[in-house]
Amino acid sequence: MSSENLPQRPEPSPASGSEPSRKPRVAVVFGGRSSEHGISVVTAGAVLRAIDRTKYDVLPIGITADGRWALTADAPERMAITDRQVPNVSDLAESAEGGVVLPLDPADREVVYSEPGSVPKALGEVDVVFPVLHGPYGEDGTLQGLLELSGVPYVGAGVLASAVGQDKEYMKRVFTSFGLPVGPYLVIRPRQWENDEKAARARIADFAGEHGWPLFIKPARAGSSIGISKVDSFDGLDEAIAEARRHDPKVIVEALLRGREIECGVLEFEDGPRASVPAEIPPVQAHDYYDFEAKYIDSTPGIVPAPLTPEETAEVQRLAVEAFEATSCEGLVRADFFLTEDGRFVINEINTMPGFTPISMYPQMWEKSGVGYAELVDRLIEAALRRSTGLR
């Protein structure tokens, strides 16, 4: 890629006083090393399309599946699901070898691009990062820790909240400690399975004996319903555990909760977090449960707002905000619940960077709550710019 085609350092624009000013620069970081790479690219396309270019300069940075930080085209139209296939960063990268380097000095926010055999090129300063990565190596506190070291503000949850929000075991432990209702679950740690599979199966047998079949076998630190299996007996158990362990060596086993699936969005406003109208995920006719294909490929529609009583709506909104606060979240959260047959809300999990395409449930809930997609993106960037990095 020639230097003439690189994004140029934004020029200062005149301000009312003598000091030059410029638009804040937003780096949209997407892709990543997790199995949710493609959905992250789709999310980035929607965010890039929505950012107000009269208000912000934008720098798209993609992380390839093998971890290279690449300068990518600012081309949202190329970041969509096509013919049931998700996009990837490698197809968007301006170079097969060039890399983007963020600063590690909090006093210097200069981003640098380099290619083998070429002089590194300064791309200008970044004022805020909008990380739209899903899953490990991006949504789990790793990227957030890097940005804290760099002193660069960023959209969304901090290091602790991101890590807790990614790990279903510790998420549930935090919820329980704050008195939030969670469903029955069992954790199979890597060493437990690797050292004594028979004992691990016995624990699952005891769990099934207490709570019944079917069970859901999940990677403990993955999202987008990737790697999840619903098993009705021991016959499918080993295959389900192997599938979960392809994505995470730690596995979580959850009992079936009979009831309705309800989601609620939380957004940080100037005066604190507020909850959106809730949505309901109806039973999926063509799928056994709300899996990856139902969410993203077949785009199974949710019901927004959910057909709940005013009392039920108020309760799930209260619980969603409590989950946000309990995990010390910032920016945004989607909280997922079951409304059980006996009328109780049980929290299943939170997502600190939920699916964020215009058809995703989080933006849809806020659309029905009076905050459109472009305003939602703008509010998240503004909230990030208001915050400092470091302890807060």
Side-chain angles (χ1 to χ4, degrees), residues 25-29 102 126-131 143 147 152-155 384:
R25 200 152 198 232
V26 182
V28 178
V29 180
L102 289 182
V126 165
D127 298 287
V128 62
V129 169
F130 200 134
L143 176 63
L147 296 173
V152 179
Y154 53 93
V155 168

Side-chain angles (χ1 to χ4, degrees), residues 75-137:
E77 68 280 358
R78 295 171 55 194
M79 302 181 184
I81 296 173
T82 305
D83 296 328
R84 302 178 70 86
Q85 299 297 313
V86 293
N88 65 78
V89 168
S90 294
D91 291 338
L92 297 162
E94 298 284 6
S95 165
E97 296 182 312
V100 174
V101 179
L102 289 182
L104 289 179
D105 181 353
D108 177 15
R109 294 182 180 176
E110 190 87 56
V111 175
V112 174
Y113 176 81
S114 63
E115 290 191 59
S118 300
V119 176
K121 170 76 173 180
L123 300 181
E125 294 185 350
V126 165
D127 298 287
V128 62
V129 169
F130 200 134
V132 292
L133 296 110
H134 302 305
Y137 314 111

Side-chain angles (χ1 to χ4, degrees), residues 30-32 37 41 61-65 68 70 72 87-93:
F30 59 96
H37 176 101
V41 179
I61 300 173
I63 302 177
T64 63
R68 179 172 62 93
T72 68
N88 65 78
V89 168
S90 294
D91 291 338
L92 297 162

Side-chain angles (χ1 to χ4, degrees), residues 186-189 192 198-209:
L186 172 70
V187 175
I188 304 296
R189 300 181 183 280
Q192 292 171 333
K198 184 178 179 180
R201 288 192 194 93
R203 292 181 63 214
I204 297 173
D206 291 343
F207 185 79

Side-chain angles (χ1 to χ4, degrees), residues 183-240:
Y185 69 96
L186 172 70
V187 175
I188 304 296
R189 300 181 183 280
R191 281 194 295 272
Q192 292 171 333
W193 183 256
E194 293 157 7
N195 294 343
D196 196 340
E197 291 184 14
K198 184 178 179 180
R201 288 192 194 93
R203 292 181 63 214
I204 297 173
D206 291 343
F207 185 79
E210 182 177 357
H211 301 289
W213 300 91
L215 300 177
F216 288 90
I217 312 299
K218 303 180 178 182
R221 293 162 292 192
S224 295
S225 297
I226 291 173
I228 295 178
S229 302
K230 180 183 177 183
V231 294
D232 297 306
S233 70
F234 274 108
D235 292 342
L237 184 62
D238 282 5
E239 183 180 351

Side-chain angles (χ1 to χ4, degrees), residues 96-329:
E97 296 182 312
V100 174
V101 179
L102 289 182
L104 289 179
D105 181 353
D108 177 15
R109 294 182 180 176
E110 190 87 56
V111 175
V112 174
Y113 176 81
S114 63
E115 290 191 59
S118 300
V119 176
K121 170 76 173 180
L123 300 181
E125 294 185 350
V126 165
D127 298 287
V128 62
V129 169
F130 200 134
V132 292
L133 296 110
H134 302 305
Y137 314 111
E139 192 183 352
D140 59 349
T142 50
L143 176 63
Q144 290 75 15
L146 173 64
L147 296 173
E148 292 285 352
L149 288 172
S150 301
V152 179
Y154 53 93
V155 168
V159 176
L160 174 65
S162 296
V164 169
Q166 188 64 40
D167 190 312
K168 294 177 175 62
E169 176 192 0
Y170 288 99
M171 182 196 311
K172 292 177 187 292
R173 290 182 181 274
V174 169
F175 290 157
T176 300
S177 71
F178 278 81
L180 291 163
V182 302
Y185 69 96
L186 172 70
V187 175
I188 304 296
R189 300 181 183 280
R191 281 194 295 272
Q192 292 171 333
W193 183 256
E194 293 157 7
N195 294 343
D196 196 340
E197 291 184 14
K198 184 178 179 180
R201 288 192 194 93
R203 292 181 63 214
I204 297 173
D206 291 343
F207 185 79
E210 182 177 357
H211 301 289
W213 300 91
L215 300 177
F216 288 90
I217 312 299
K218 303 180 178 182
R221 293 162 292 192
S224 295
S225 297
I226 291 173
I228 295 178
S229 302
K230 180 183 177 183
V231 294
D232 297 306
S233 70
F234 274 108
D235 292 342
L237 184 62
D238 282 5
E239 183 180 351
I241 290 176
E243 172 60 17
R245 283 174 53 84
R246 281 201 315 115
H247 303 277
D248 186 350
K250 183 165 78 167
V251 174
I252 190 164
V253 180
E254 294 179 351
L256 173 69
L257 290 175
R258 300 187 185 279
R260 299 159 61 188
E261 291 190 50
I262 306 295
E263 299 183 348
C264 190
V266 180
L267 178 64
E268 181 182 347
F269 286 75
E270 291 83 355
D271 59 351
R274 302 182 199 172
S276 68
V277 300
E280 180 169 3
I281 307 302
V284 184
Q285 300 301 321
H287 300 265
D288 200 23
Y289 59 97
Y290 195 44
D291 61 6
F292 178 87
E293 288 207 350
K295 286 180 179 179
Y296 297 108
I297 305 300
D298 296 328
S299 301
T300 303
I303 303 170
V304 190
L308 300 171
T309 67
E311 294 76 17
E312 289 170 336
T313 296
E315 176 67 0
V316 76
Q317 289 174 325
R318 181 186 70 81
L319 290 170
V321 171
E322 283 195 11
F324 183 97
E325 298 282 38
T327 48
S328 299
C329 282

